[in-house]
C-alpha cells in the first residue's frame, strides 16, 4: 500500500532550509491567491522540505468537495485518499521519473521545465474524474534541489491516465515518458499554421462551420479539410479534444 513517504525520494532529498528562506512565502501566497481568482484551474504549491502543501487555491476542481484549508492540511495524504487505487502506482512512478529527469538538468535551468500528466481523482459522488496535472519548479534550495513546486489541475482532454510529458520554456521540443521501458524520449513538438490556430480560436468562440468559413474567407469544404488534418496532426478525434490539446501544449 502506498504511503506519503513514497513520494519523497533520495534524488530530491532536502536536509535543511533555513527559516529566513521562508520569509518571502507570504508574498508568494498573496500573489497566488490573487492569481487563482483569475483562472478556472486549481493551483497549489508543494513544499518538498516540509513535505506538505504550502498553498491550495479555493478553485473547486482539485478539492473533490473538500475545503481548501483541509486539503492543505492533509498534504500528501490527500493524494492517498483521492487518487484512484489504479492510478496511485502511476503517480509514484511519474514522481520518481520526474526527479530523475531533473537530475540530468543543470540547476541553473531547472525552473524552465514543466511536467504534465493525467490521472483519475475520486469525486464525492464516487465517480472518478480524469484531470490534467502540471508541475513546475517554483523555488530551488541553495544547492539546486527542487524545494517548492507550483501545480495546476484542469480537466483532461485525454481518455485515459498517463500521457506523461515534459516541456521546456522557449523550446519546441518535448520529452515523453514511456513506462514500459522507463525512458524519456525527446521529440519535436507540434507547430500549428496560422490558419489552424484561427480555426481553433473561432471554434473556441462557438462559431459554426459556416461562420468560420465566412470569417476566414474559405469554403466550408476547406474548413472541413483543415479540421481533418488538424485532428490528424494532434492525434485527437474531435474539436473539443483539439482545443484541450492546444491549450495544454500552449499552441494558441
Amino acid at each position: 500500500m502506498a504511503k506519503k513517504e513514497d513520494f519523497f525520494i533520495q534524488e530530491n532529498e532536502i536536509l535543511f532550509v533555513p527559516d529566513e528562506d521562508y520569509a518571502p512565502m507570504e508574498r508568494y501566497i498573496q500573489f497566488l491567491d490573487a492569481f487563482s481568482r483569475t483562472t478556472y484551474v486549481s493551483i497549489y504549491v508543494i513544499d518538498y522540505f516540509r513535505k506538505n502543501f504550502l498553498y491550495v487555491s479555493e478553485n473547486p476542481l482539485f478539492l473533490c468537495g473538500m475545503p481548501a484549508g483541509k486539503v492543505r492540511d492533509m498534504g500528501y495524504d490527500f493524494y492517498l485518499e483521492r487518487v484512484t487505487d489504479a492510478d496511485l502506482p502511476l503517480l509514484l512512478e511519474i514522481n520518481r521519473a520526474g526527479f530523475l529527469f531533473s537530475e540530468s538538468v543543470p540547476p541553473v535551468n531547472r525552473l524552465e521545465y514543466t511536467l504534465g500528466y493525467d490521472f483519475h481523482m475520486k469525486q464525492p459522488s464516487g465517480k472518478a474524474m480524469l484531470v490534467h496535472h502540471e508541475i513546475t519548479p517554483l523555488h530551488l534550495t541553495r544547492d539546486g534541489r527542487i524545494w517548492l513546486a507550483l501545480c495546476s489541475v484542469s480537466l483532461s482532454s485525454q481518455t485515459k491516465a498517463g500521457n506523461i510529458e515534459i516541456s521546456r520554456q522557449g523550446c519546441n521540443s518535448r520529452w515523453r515518458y514511456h513506462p514500459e521501458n522507463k525512458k524519456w524520449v525527446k521529440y519535436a513538438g507540434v507547430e500549428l499554421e496560422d490558419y489552424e490556430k484561427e480555426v481553433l480560436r473561432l471554434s473556441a468562440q462557438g462559431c459554426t462551420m459556416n461562420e468560420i468559413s465566412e470569417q476566414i474567407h474559405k469554403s466550408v469544404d476547406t474548413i472541413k479539410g483543415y479540421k481533418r488534418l488538424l485532428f490528424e496532426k494532434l492525434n485527437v478525434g474531435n474539436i473539443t479534444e483539439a482545443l484541450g490539446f492546444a491549450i495544454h501544449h500552449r499552441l494558441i
Side-chain angles (χ1 to χ4, degrees), residues 195-220:
Y195 67 85
E196 293 173 321
K197 294 178 183 178
E198 191 66 15
V199 168
L200 284 172
R201 290 192 189 103
L202 291 170
S203 297
Q205 293 170 13
C207 292
T208 65
M209 200 84 73
N210 287 331
E211 290 169 335
I212 295 174
S213 172
E214 293 174 3
Q215 290 266 11
I216 65 176
H217 309 293
K218 299 289 183 180
S219 70
V220 171

Short mmCIF file of all heavy atoms in Angstrom, two decimals, residues 195-220:
data_model
loop_
_atom_site.label_atom_id
_atom_site.label_comp_id
_atom_site.label_asym_id
_atom_site.label_seq_id
_atom_site.Cartn_x
_atom_site.Cartn_y
_atom_site.Cartn_z
N TYR A 195 -3.54 29.46 -40.04
CA TYR A 195 -4.94 29.16 -40.32
C TYR A 195 -5.49 28.09 -39.37
O TYR A 195 -6.68 28.10 -39.04
CB TYR A 195 -5.12 28.73 -41.78
CG TYR A 195 -4.49 27.42 -42.16
CD1 TYR A 195 -5.16 26.21 -41.95
CD2 TYR A 195 -3.22 27.38 -42.74
CE1 TYR A 195 -4.58 25.00 -42.30
CE2 TYR A 195 -2.64 26.17 -43.08
CZ TYR A 195 -3.31 24.99 -42.88
OH TYR A 195 -2.74 23.79 -43.21
N GLU A 196 -4.62 27.18 -38.90
CA GLU A 196 -5.06 26.17 -37.95
C GLU A 196 -5.36 26.82 -36.59
O GLU A 196 -6.34 26.46 -35.93
CB GLU A 196 -3.98 25.09 -37.80
CG GLU A 196 -3.80 24.26 -39.06
CD GLU A 196 -2.62 23.31 -38.97
OE1 GLU A 196 -1.57 23.71 -38.40
OE2 GLU A 196 -2.72 22.18 -39.48
N LYS A 197 -4.52 27.77 -36.20
CA LYS A 197 -4.78 28.50 -34.95
C LYS A 197 -6.09 29.27 -35.05
O LYS A 197 -6.86 29.34 -34.09
CB LYS A 197 -3.62 29.44 -34.66
CG LYS A 197 -2.30 28.76 -34.35
CD LYS A 197 -1.19 29.78 -34.12
CE LYS A 197 0.15 29.11 -33.89
NZ LYS A 197 1.23 30.10 -33.71
N GLU A 198 -6.34 29.87 -36.22
CA GLU A 198 -7.55 30.65 -36.40
C GLU A 198 -8.79 29.77 -36.31
O GLU A 198 -9.80 30.15 -35.68
CB GLU A 198 -7.51 31.37 -37.75
CG GLU A 198 -8.59 32.41 -37.93
CD GLU A 198 -8.46 33.59 -36.98
OE1 GLU A 198 -7.37 33.76 -36.37
OE2 GLU A 198 -9.44 34.34 -36.84
N VAL A 199 -8.74 28.58 -36.91
CA VAL A 199 -9.86 27.65 -36.82
C VAL A 199 -10.12 27.26 -35.36
O VAL A 199 -11.27 27.21 -34.91
CB VAL A 199 -9.60 26.40 -37.68
CG1 VAL A 199 -10.62 25.29 -37.37
CG2 VAL A 199 -9.66 26.75 -39.16
N LEU A 200 -9.06 27.02 -34.61
CA LEU A 200 -9.22 26.67 -33.20
C LEU A 200 -9.79 27.84 -32.40
O LEU A 200 -10.69 27.65 -31.56
CB LEU A 200 -7.88 26.24 -32.62
CG LEU A 200 -7.39 24.83 -33.00
CD1 LEU A 200 -5.97 24.61 -32.51
CD2 LEU A 200 -8.31 23.77 -32.42
N ARG A 201 -9.28 29.03 -32.63
CA ARG A 201 -9.77 30.20 -31.89
C ARG A 201 -11.26 30.43 -32.15
O ARG A 201 -12.04 30.68 -31.22
CB ARG A 201 -8.97 31.44 -32.28
CG ARG A 201 -7.53 31.45 -31.79
CD ARG A 201 -6.92 32.83 -31.96
NE ARG A 201 -5.47 32.81 -31.70
CZ ARG A 201 -4.54 32.84 -32.64
NH1 ARG A 201 -4.89 32.89 -33.92
NH2 ARG A 201 -3.27 32.82 -32.33
N LEU A 202 -11.65 30.35 -33.40
CA LEU A 202 -13.05 30.59 -33.75
C LEU A 202 -13.95 29.47 -33.21
O LEU A 202 -15.07 29.72 -32.77
CB LEU A 202 -13.20 30.71 -35.26
CG LEU A 202 -12.57 31.98 -35.87
CD1 LEU A 202 -12.56 31.90 -37.39
CD2 LEU A 202 -13.29 33.23 -35.40
N SER A 203 -13.43 28.24 -33.21
CA SER A 203 -14.19 27.12 -32.65
C SER A 203 -14.38 27.32 -31.15
O SER A 203 -15.45 27.03 -30.61
CB SER A 203 -13.46 25.80 -32.92
OG SER A 203 -13.36 25.54 -34.31
N ALA A 204 -13.34 27.82 -30.48
CA ALA A 204 -13.43 28.08 -29.05
C ALA A 204 -14.48 29.14 -28.75
O ALA A 204 -15.08 29.15 -27.66
CB ALA A 204 -12.08 28.51 -28.50
N GLN A 205 -14.73 30.04 -29.70
CA GLN A 205 -15.74 31.08 -29.53
C GLN A 205 -17.14 30.59 -29.86
O GLN A 205 -18.11 31.34 -29.78
CB GLN A 205 -15.39 32.28 -30.43
CG GLN A 205 -14.12 32.99 -30.01
CD GLN A 205 -13.64 34.01 -31.04
OE1 GLN A 205 -14.40 34.36 -31.95
NE2 GLN A 205 -12.42 34.49 -30.89
N GLY A 206 -17.24 29.30 -30.25
CA GLY A 206 -18.54 28.71 -30.53
C GLY A 206 -19.02 28.90 -31.95
O GLY A 206 -20.20 28.66 -32.25
N CYS A 207 -18.13 29.30 -32.85
CA CYS A 207 -18.52 29.52 -34.24
C CYS A 207 -18.84 28.20 -34.94
O CYS A 207 -18.16 27.18 -34.72
CB CYS A 207 -17.40 30.23 -35.00
SG CYS A 207 -17.11 31.92 -34.47
N THR A 208 -19.85 28.22 -35.77
CA THR A 208 -20.19 27.05 -36.58
C THR A 208 -19.25 26.97 -37.77
O THR A 208 -18.47 27.89 -38.05
CB THR A 208 -21.63 27.15 -37.09
OG1 THR A 208 -21.72 28.27 -37.99
CG2 THR A 208 -22.61 27.33 -35.94
N MET A 209 -19.33 25.86 -38.51
CA MET A 209 -18.50 25.68 -39.70
C MET A 209 -18.76 26.82 -40.70
O MET A 209 -17.82 27.36 -41.29
CB MET A 209 -18.80 24.33 -40.33
CG MET A 209 -17.71 23.82 -41.24
SD MET A 209 -16.39 22.99 -40.34
CE MET A 209 -17.20 21.46 -39.89
N ASN A 210 -20.03 27.17 -40.90
CA ASN A 210 -20.36 28.24 -41.83
C ASN A 210 -19.81 29.58 -41.37
O ASN A 210 -19.32 30.38 -42.18
CB ASN A 210 -21.88 28.33 -42.01
CG ASN A 210 -22.45 27.18 -42.84
OD1 ASN A 210 -21.76 26.64 -43.70
ND2 ASN A 210 -23.69 26.82 -42.58
N GLU A 211 -19.88 29.84 -40.08
CA GLU A 211 -19.37 31.10 -39.55
C GLU A 211 -17.85 31.18 -39.67
O GLU A 211 -17.30 32.25 -39.98
CB GLU A 211 -19.80 31.27 -38.09
CG GLU A 211 -21.30 31.53 -37.93
CD GLU A 211 -21.76 31.43 -36.49
OE1 GLU A 211 -21.10 30.73 -35.69
OE2 GLU A 211 -22.80 32.04 -36.17
N ILE A 212 -17.16 30.06 -39.44
CA ILE A 212 -15.71 30.04 -39.62
C ILE A 212 -15.37 30.29 -41.08
O ILE A 212 -14.44 31.05 -41.41
CB ILE A 212 -15.11 28.70 -39.14
CG1 ILE A 212 -15.30 28.53 -37.63
CG2 ILE A 212 -13.62 28.61 -39.48
CD1 ILE A 212 -14.89 27.17 -37.09
N SER A 213 -16.14 29.67 -41.97
CA SER A 213 -15.95 29.86 -43.41
C SER A 213 -16.05 31.33 -43.78
O SER A 213 -15.22 31.86 -44.55
CB SER A 213 -16.98 29.04 -44.18
OG SER A 213 -16.94 29.33 -45.57
N GLU A 214 -17.03 32.01 -43.23
CA GLU A 214 -17.22 33.43 -43.53
C GLU A 214 -16.09 34.29 -42.95
O GLU A 214 -15.63 35.24 -43.58
CB GLU A 214 -18.57 33.90 -42.99
CG GLU A 214 -19.77 33.28 -43.70
CD GLU A 214 -21.08 33.67 -43.04
OE1 GLU A 214 -21.03 34.46 -42.07
OE2 GLU A 214 -22.13 33.20 -43.50
N GLN A 215 -15.64 33.92 -41.76
CA GLN A 215 -14.62 34.72 -41.07
C GLN A 215 -13.28 34.67 -41.79
O GLN A 215 -12.58 35.68 -41.87
CB GLN A 215 -14.45 34.21 -39.62
CG GLN A 215 -15.62 34.51 -38.72
CD GLN A 215 -15.43 35.80 -37.95
OE1 GLN A 215 -14.52 36.58 -38.23
NE2 GLN A 215 -16.29 36.05 -36.99
N ILE A 216 -12.88 33.48 -42.28
CA ILE A 216 -11.55 33.38 -42.88
C ILE A 216 -11.60 33.27 -44.41
O ILE A 216 -10.58 33.02 -45.05
CB ILE A 216 -10.75 32.20 -42.28
CG1 ILE A 216 -11.40 30.86 -42.62
CG2 ILE A 216 -10.63 32.34 -40.77
CD1 ILE A 216 -10.57 29.68 -42.11
N HIS A 217 -12.82 33.47 -44.96
CA HIS A 217 -12.99 33.55 -46.41
C HIS A 217 -12.51 32.29 -47.13
O HIS A 217 -11.80 32.36 -48.14
CB HIS A 217 -12.27 34.78 -46.96
CG HIS A 217 -12.62 36.06 -46.24
ND1 HIS A 217 -13.88 36.62 -46.28
CD2 HIS A 217 -11.87 36.86 -45.42
CE1 HIS A 217 -13.89 37.72 -45.54
NE2 HIS A 217 -12.69 37.89 -45.01
N LYS A 218 -12.90 31.15 -46.58
CA LYS A 218 -12.64 29.86 -47.20
C LYS A 218 -13.94 29.08 -47.27
O LYS A 218 -14.86 29.33 -46.49
CB LYS A 218 -11.60 29.05 -46.40
CG LYS A 218 -10.22 29.72 -46.28
CD LYS A 218 -9.47 29.71 -47.59
CE LYS A 218 -8.08 30.31 -47.42
NZ LYS A 218 -7.32 30.32 -48.69
N SER A 219 -14.01 28.13 -48.20
CA SER A 219 -15.23 27.34 -48.33
C SER A 219 -15.41 26.42 -47.13
O SER A 219 -14.44 26.10 -46.41
CB SER A 219 -15.19 26.51 -49.61
OG SER A 219 -14.24 25.47 -49.49
N VAL A 220 -16.65 25.98 -46.93
CA VAL A 220 -16.93 25.05 -45.84
C VAL A 220 -16.14 23.76 -46.03
O VAL A 220 -15.62 23.19 -45.06
CB VAL A 220 -18.45 24.76 -45.75
CG1 VAL A 220 -18.72 23.61 -44.77
CG2 VAL A 220 -19.21 26.00 -45.33
#
